[in-house]
Amino acid sequence: MEMRLDKIISDSGSATRSIARNMISAGRVKVNGIVCKKPESKFDPENCEIKVDNEVISYRRNIYVMMYKPIGVLSATEDAVDKTVISLLPEELQKRGLFPVGRLDKDSEGFLLLTDDGAFAHTIMSPKKHVDKVYFITVDGILTQDDVETFSKGITLSDGANCKPAKLELITDTEAFVTLKEGKYHQVKRMIASCGKKVLTLKRISIGPIELDKNLMPGEWRYLSCDEEKLLKNS
Ligand code: URA
């Protein structure tokens, strides 16, 4: 499908739309080896080679973002009251229709994936696909080996929802890693509550084979690398 050259460049993540326009007008952009100075010129990004400053850019049909969701921000696309994770992205990306893959509660933090690829989101969240999500938690109360066993058998919550067997790994008696393959509403908090304890803090540290980038600070984001994208899709 043909698209404007400035949009192709901004969709690739190389620059904002207005910077892309300036780069094109300045003669820094080549399409199939020929300088193109018209931002409105249309090309099929999947069937041409586009270079900015002689570096090939790769067009992103879909976008995959790793965000360190901070506490106090909603995992939603819009909200009348609270700040959303989408508002932490630059304007160009906000227009791409990204949405969070699964949710982290407002008072939870950590690894949140955002994408505009619905099929991918479904795969990551489907319990049938067995993509592990790992959370680091601290609790009010003392975690025991009995809790580890309860998690390993699966838990039926007070509303009758059945949680599949999950892994609880104790670090200390108030800190643990929890590994889930599904994502029910408040699942970790409710599973811990059914063991008679309360989650104090919760941070998601990995999704499938991908760990939250240690260089990201709360509120920061980056694109998934092509390798990470492939790993997740094949996980
Ligand atoms: N489980 C929870 O209870 N909350 C989260 O934010 C994520 C998993």
Side-chain angles (χ1 to χ4, degrees), residues 65-82:
V65 160
M66 171 192 288
M67 178 182 281
Y68 186 156
K69 178 200 159 317
I71 291 169
V73 173
L74 282 194
S75 304
T77 49
E78 48 188 22
D79 191 81
V81 179
D82 283 309

Side-chain angles (χ1 to χ4, degrees), residues 69 75 103-109 133 135 137 178 180 182-192 199 202-204:
K69 178 200 159 317
S75 304
R103 281 162 186 262
L104 284 172
D105 298 332
K106 186 176 171 186
D107 61 357
S108 300
E109 62 177 333
K133 290 105 195 160
Y135 304 86
I137 57 165
V178 174
L180 301 183
E182 47 188 352
K184 296 188 199 305
Y185 179 67
H186 289 339
Q187 184 163 349
V188 174
K189 289 176 185 163
R190 291 196 294 157
M191 289 175 86
I192 290 291
V199 170
L202 185 153
K203 176 179 177 181
R204 182 155 60 202

Side-chain angles (χ1 to χ4, degrees), residues 2-14:
E2 293 206 330
M3 293 167 60
R4 285 177 59 115
L5 186 54
D6 55 350
K7 179 155 168 52
I8 298 173
I9 292 172
S10 70
D11 283 358
S12 77
S14 311

Side-chain angles (χ1 to χ4, degrees), residues 41-231:
S41 304
K42 290 191 168 174
F43 301 95
D44 177 353
E46 291 178 46
N47 286 307
C48 66
E49 184 195 63
I50 297 176
K51 285 185 179 173
V52 176
D53 296 334
N54 289 321
E55 296 273 336
V56 176
I57 60 153
S58 50
Y59 173 69
R60 295 169 192 269
R61 182 201 292 267
N62 285 112
I63 292 185
Y64 306 92
V65 160
M66 171 192 288
M67 178 182 281
Y68 186 156
K69 178 200 159 317
I71 291 169
V73 173
L74 282 194
S75 304
T77 49
E78 48 188 22
D79 191 81
V81 179
D82 283 309
K83 198 167 168 168
T84 70
V85 287
I86 300 295
S87 75
L88 300 176
L89 298 170
E91 219 175 288
E92 295 297 315
L93 270 186
Q94 292 188 22
K95 291 188 202 138
R96 285 290 299 252
L98 300 187
F99 54 87
V101 180
R103 281 162 186 262
L104 284 172
D105 298 332
K106 186 176 171 186
D107 61 357
S108 300
E109 62 177 333
F111 188 174
L112 189 69
L113 275 174
L114 296 135
T115 187
D116 55 358
D117 181 345
F120 168 80
H122 179 75
T123 304
I124 299 294
M125 291 317 294
S126 167
K128 289 189 195 121
K129 304 289 181 184
H130 304 294
V131 179
D132 286 340
K133 290 105 195 160
V134 182
Y135 304 86
F136 169 73
I137 57 165
T138 60
V139 304
D140 184 11
I142 302 297
L143 294 166
T144 65
Q145 282 306 320
D146 281 353
D147 300 331
V148 173
E149 220 167 286
T150 305
F151 265 63
S152 73
K153 288 182 182 145
I155 294 178
T156 302
L157 300 173
S158 51
D159 63 356
N162 286 317
C163 300
K164 293 193 185 321
K167 194 152 99 184
L168 177 69
E169 287 172 88
L170 305 189
I171 304 166
T172 65
D173 55 13
T174 57
E175 293 174 313
F177 294 117
V178 174
T179 306
L180 301 183
K181 295 188 191 301
E182 47 188 352
K184 296 188 199 305
Y185 179 67
H186 289 339
Q187 184 163 349
V188 174
K189 289 176 185 163
R190 291 196 294 157
M191 289 175 86
I192 290 291
S194 80
C195 298
K197 284 121 218 183
K198 187 173 184 287
V199 170
L200 294 177
T201 65
L202 185 153
K203 176 179 177 181
R204 182 155 60 202
I205 55 173
S206 67
I207 299 177
I210 312 297
E211 285 184 14
L212 177 63
D213 189 328
K214 295 200 170 47
N215 294 315
L216 289 180
M217 301 301 287
E220 291 183 343
W221 66 277
R222 67 162 173 78
Y223 290 110
L224 285 188
S225 68
C226 292
D227 285 348
E228 288 172 332
E229 208 181 295
K230 276 188 210 136
L231 268 173

